[in-house]
Amino acid sequence: MAGKRSSPSATNTSDKPSKKIKTEPHKAHGSKPNPSETRKNPKGESFTAKSSKEAHQQQKALSQQRKQAKPNADSIQRAKVLWERLRLKSHVEPTERKRLVDELFGLITGHVHDFVFKHDSVRTIQCAVKYSSKEQRKAIAKELKGEYKTLAEARYGKFLLAKLLEEGDQETRNMIISEFYGHVKRMINHPEASWILDDTYRKLATTKQKSAMLREWYGPEYAIFKASIAEGKGGESVSADLVALLAENPEKRQPIMQHLWRLINQLIQKNLTGFTILHDAMLQYSLAVGVPGPKGDNQAAVEFLELLKNDVDSGADLLKNIAFTPSGSRVVCRALACSDAKARKIIVRVYKGHIETLACDANGHRVLIAAFETIDDTVMTGKSIFPELLAMNLTSLEERRDAIAALGVHPFGRVALLYPLNTGADPHSNDEEAVMPPRWLVQPRSGTAAVISEVRKLRQATSKKNPVARRAELATSLMATKEATLLDSVTHRIDNLLGSSFGCQFLTEVLLSKDSSGVDKSSALEALIEYLKLKDSGAQSESKDMDLGAAVGRTMKRLIQGGKFELDPGSNPKTGSSEGHIVYTNPRLRFSSLLWSSLLNDKDVRQRWANSDANLLLLAMTEADEGEFGEDAEQGAKEKKAFMKELRKMIPEFQKVVESNPSTEAKFRGANLLLEKMKE
């Protein structure tokens, strides 16, 4: 019937040959094959099935045969047995260890090269170096001479090279480093050798060797003539100072700068930005290329700054890595000084979340100082830097107080925290360039002082705000923070701070900050009074004199005088001219008034102080200005007169102290000076 599909059963299959289905005997489910049953693989070859245990044993035996067929197989195997014994530090007697080490050296001597390029046997050489004598280490080093570059590039051999550099003497290190000359560019790009090269450059290389390796970044000619570069002709010094090198060879400026830029950019694009040698090369390039200029005339300098800013957009860690090395931190400081306001904001934003880490680093805190010195927008500085310095990210108030107090006594953290309060501004002029921060904060001959001078010179073309005005705004912003303020930490962590000289200095600078109008310091001063009362009562209960200590004594005397001593214009202590005056806080601190009304109005307390080194504080109060004793001049004069009257009644006590104590005692000096003061 037309249009009707035929069913499968209707299909004619009579002309197709029928297929016979081959049936096999049924096997029970889960039955195991007979191990001795002969089978055929897909190629038709017969084989006998084996259990997995037998197959594993056969494979292990075959592996052992292959190992035994290799050169020095027996020696390597025995060395590994000795290594297994030697690496147990607490279970081997010294005599037994010496015997094992001697046997190990007997096996490896003359065959070190066969051991060092294998992942298992190289460990035996490392163990031998660790427990060897000086002569034995030298023997291993000499046997590997000529292979150090290859060893640095080896996946496992680099660890032995690191051990030789760490444990070897200077002769061994010189022998190893000399084989790096001429290959620095290749090695710094190698995934294994780069870290060995940089660790050697950072930790072990001498100044001369560092210069030789860094000079290879300047072009092929410095790598080809490696012997003359490394050793110097006639023993002359080898310098990597690119500015001096270009001054001697001005015709080479373009090829050298291009080669250096290409290598720097190459490593940055690969995100290999943690190398110290790279940071040194970047500093040399920055110094040689100069500043961008007022209108961006120096295109090379502009491109270098753009390279740093582009790192921010790419999410790389260039700026974070370079801030923690001497050369790298200087590069960032120069970038802040040479950039415009927008670029500075971008650079500072990179360190969000890492401000405290920067502050506590020997090099990183310089970046924060450069930011304080260059950023005109002090409101932005107060929002981006100060909250992290004051631990605003912590939810607990107690934790914030602990964090601020810990930063205040940190050798570098306190510099970043107190720098806005002490930037060396001359109160008699608006010229801040020639005046450095106080010696106790920044050492005059330190690298930090040199960076500050350089930044102040470079910022003249980019920063518009008056330096003194910038400093005052920063100090006000730091002191006026509403939560977890410096004063709050001083008040509640006073025992911790007065326990160290750094803490005493921190407390003094916070309380004597002259840019603190509207800030209430009364709680901190009352905490100081309570501290003195506890010291006095503790000494009384133990029947001994109160001992404040030198650092606490200096702090109290400065607070009693009510301000910081500053030299008059033209005075120079080095020439014997040290005339100056006290710059009082605004409003007045009046710690002397609080001492007199809360503590020293008690006759017994005055007598105990007279018989201890605290009599130096009584002397300081006699020299304090009348304004530190009262709310106004009239009240101040009245209160100081009353204090002096009570003190004159104690002249017999002072005479007794002078007669009964040697002149070397602090309380003798204080009592003697008070007697002289009473005679005036």
Side-chain angles (χ1 to χ4, degrees), residues 257-304:
M257 296 296 286
Q258 287 180 350
H259 190 276
L260 181 57
W261 168 259
R262 194 179 303 115
L263 188 52
I264 290 173
N265 192 34
Q266 184 182 26
L267 290 176
I268 293 176
Q269 297 307 320
K270 291 181 179 180
N271 202 21
L272 300 174
T273 57
F275 299 133
T276 303
I277 192 172
L278 169 64
H279 304 169
D280 287 354
M282 292 178 69
L283 176 60
Q284 292 301 322
Y285 186 87
S286 176
L287 293 171
V289 79
V291 298
K295 297 182 179 180
D297 303 329
N298 189 344
Q299 189 61 31
V302 173
E303 289 180 358
F304 183 72

Side-chain angles (χ1 to χ4, degrees), residues 382-417:
K383 291 181 178 180
S384 59
I385 297 179
F386 290 161
E388 292 193 41
L389 286 179
L390 299 175
M392 293 297 188
N393 57 319
L394 299 177
T395 55
S396 170
L397 182 60
E398 293 298 317
E399 290 180 357
R400 290 202 293 267
R401 289 167 177 167
D402 289 337
I404 294 173
L407 198 63
V409 299
H410 192 277
F412 304 111
R414 72 191 190 104
V415 178
L417 199 56

